[in-house]
Amino acid sequence: MSLCSLLSELDRKVILFTYEKKGKNQKLLPFSSLTDEYCSFILTEGEYILWELAKRKLTEAEIIAHSWLVSSKKNGSLVLKFQENNHLNISSLFDNDHYVGHWLLEHGILKVYFNYQDHDYDINIIANNNRSIHSALQIIDDACIDILKVVPLSHAKYGKALID
C-alpha cells in the first residue's frame, strides 16, 4: 500500500500548511517528516492556528453553483463542474476532452476523485476566508503529491467570483 493512501485529513492539512507558510520554494514535506510528534507540534504552533483560522468550510450550495478552475504549477488546468448527485464533470481548459468523477463534502473539505488521461486523482480542497482562490492538495496515482489553486468561475450576470 502506498504512503499516500495512508495520509489522514490532518496529514494533508499539515502538508498544505507547510507548503503555503513554511517554504513555497522548497519541495513538499517528505513523508518521513509526518510523524505523530511532528504533526502534534505543528497543530499547536501559532502560525498553524492562524493559517487554519484563515480557512473555512465549503458548502454544497456554493460547490454546485459554479464551475471551478483547478490549476497547478506542474500540470495543465482543468474545469470541474459539480452535480448535486455527487457526480463530477471534468474538462480540459485547452482541448475538448471530457471525463467524469465523483465528489463528497466532508467536514467542509471538498474531496474529489477522478481518472483523467489514465491517471487517478485524489484532491482535497480547503476554502480560504479572505479570497476566492482556494488551496488544494492533489495526489496522483497514489504516489505523487502536488499543490493546486482552485477558483470558482462565475458568470457576470450572477456575481463576481474572483475576489482577491
Side-chain angles (χ1 to χ4, degrees), residues 66-67 69 131-133 150-154 159-164:
H66 311 282
S67 291
L69 178 64
R131 60 187 191 154
S132 293
I133 301 173
V150 183
V151 180
L153 302 174
S154 182
K160 189 174 180 182
L162 302 177
I163 300 169
D164 193 51

Side-chain angles (χ1 to χ4, degrees), residues 58-76:
L58 286 163
T59 66
E60 185 170 337
E62 79 178 296
I63 291 167
I64 60 176
H66 311 282
S67 291
W68 296 71
L69 178 64
V70 178
S71 186
S72 76
K73 289 182 180 179
K74 295 180 184 179
N75 298 321

Side-chain angles (χ1 to χ4, degrees), residues 2 4 31 139-145:
S2 168
C4 291
F31 291 116
I139 299 173
I140 304 169
D141 294 330
D142 203 24
C144 177
I145 294 180

Side-chain angles (χ1 to χ4, degrees), residues 38-160:
Y38 180 79
C39 288
S40 294
F41 170 75
I42 289 292
L43 295 177
T44 59
E45 192 177 71
E47 196 173 1
Y48 177 83
I49 294 167
L50 291 173
W51 175 83
E52 195 164 49
L53 288 171
K55 304 299 181 188
R56 67 175 177 83
K57 294 181 178 186
L58 286 163
T59 66
E60 185 170 337
E62 79 178 296
I63 291 167
I64 60 176
H66 311 282
S67 291
W68 296 71
L69 178 64
V70 178
S71 186
S72 76
K73 289 182 180 179
K74 295 180 184 179
N75 298 321
S77 300
L78 298 175
V79 176
L80 308 180
K81 179 62 180 160
F82 298 94
Q83 307 294 317
E84 288 182 18
N85 58 6
N86 294 90
H87 288 98
L88 170 66
N89 294 319
I90 302 111
S91 58
S92 170
L93 195 59
F94 295 100
D95 57 41
N96 291 325
D97 291 344
H98 293 279
Y99 297 85
V100 295
H102 65 278
W103 64 274
L104 66 107
L105 188 61
E106 198 171 275
H107 310 292
I109 296 174
L110 179 56
K111 298 183 178 192
V112 180
Y113 308 95
F114 60 91
N115 185 286
Y116 177 77
Q117 296 181 339
D118 296 323
H119 295 285
D120 292 321
Y121 290 82
D122 173 354
I123 301 172
N124 284 14
I125 301 170
I126 300 175
N128 287 311
N129 268 328
N130 303 327
R131 60 187 191 154
S132 293
I133 301 173
H134 306 301
S135 302
L137 185 74
Q138 170 179 264
I139 299 173
I140 304 169
D141 294 330
D142 203 24
C144 177
I145 294 180
D146 197 7
I147 302 298
L148 305 174
K149 292 299 178 181
V150 183
V151 180
L153 302 174
S154 182
H155 190 282
K157 177 179 175 182
Y158 304 109
K160 189 174 180 182

